[in-house]
Structures are given as C-alpha cells and as structure tokens.
Amino acid sequence: MYIYNVTINIDESIHSEWLTWIESHIPEVLATGHFLSAKMTQVLVEEEMGGITYSIQYTAKTREDLDNYYKHSADKLRNDGLKKFADKMLAFRTELKVVNEFFPAVNSN
C-alpha cells in the first residue's frame, strides 16, 4: 500500500471557503479510481507563517495506481485548487510506502 500525503497551509481569510471546496475535491480525487480511501486531518502545530494546516492522506493499493493518478489526473486536480486559491494556499506532497501495520492484541476501546 502507498499513501499520497498532501499537506496544505490555508490562509485564515479563505479557510471557510476552502473547507467547503475540499469536501467536494476529495471525492473527485477518489472518483479517479486510483485510491481506496482518503483521510483528512488538521495539523496541530502552529506555523510561524500563520494559517491553518491540514494533511490529506490518500491510500493507493499499488505503486501503479499512484503512478496512473500522476499520469492521468493529478495536474488537472491540482490546478483546480491553485486557480481558486492561488497565493492563499501552500501545498506540498509526500509519498509513503506502508511497510507494516500493527494493531493492539486486545482492543480496549
């Protein structure tokens, strides 16, 4: 499994508008068929530059799925956000390969 992580810092002046937009953007990314799921989290570290930071983690089953996303869909979907929010949003992307997953032997929750 692979995780395509997008970390995004949003200027507070467009935060509400961006949240509304991202709620429809994530399903668009999933609709490409290259990812199994997505998880959106808020980063709980205050940035010196200000703003609010989120991490969106898309899970791909294979490296081929991730490569096909780049080849067929990534540019258009990335540009949608850049056109709409321009200099009010800063994003960087990281690829992660899942090596192993661990779970508690007894679930106490």
Side-chain angles (χ1 to χ4, degrees):
M1 296 266 240
Y2 291 83
I3 297 171
Y4 173 58
N5 182 74
V6 183
T7 304
I8 307 162
N9 181 270
I10 306 300
D11 188 280
E12 291 182 35
S13 67
I14 56 132
H15 182 243
S16 293
E17 181 184 359
W18 181 84
L19 277 176
T20 300
W21 174 81
I22 200 68
E23 293 286 333
S24 63
H25 177 75
I26 292 171
E28 282 185 65
V29 174
L30 293 174
T32 66
H34 303 296
F35 299 104
L36 300 172
S37 64
K39 182 184 295 186
M40 180 175 155
T41 61
Q42 184 174 349
V43 178
L44 299 178
V45 174
E46 287 191 33
E47 296 289 342
E48 286 181 28
M49 67 179 143
I52 302 166
T53 303
Y54 291 90
S55 169
I56 303 167
Q57 299 176 350
Y58 298 95
T59 303
K61 187 173 184 178
T62 66
R63 178 73 219 196
E64 183 180 19
D65 288 335
L66 188 52
D67 289 340
N68 282 331
Y69 170 73
Y70 293 139
K71 184 176 180 182
H72 301 291
S73 305
D75 287 342
K76 184 230 180 270
L77 289 165
R78 285 178 187 170
N79 287 333
D80 288 349
L82 288 173
K83 281 187 239 174
K84 188 162 185 67
F85 300 107
D87 62 341
K88 301 285 186 185
M89 173 179 94
L90 176 65
F92 69 90
R93 293 154 181 86
T94 310
E95 293 178 7
L96 306 165
K97 181 179 180 180
V98 177
V99 175
N100 204 343
E101 283 188 277
F102 300 87
F103 300 94
V106 176
N107 189 348
S108 61
N109 292 336

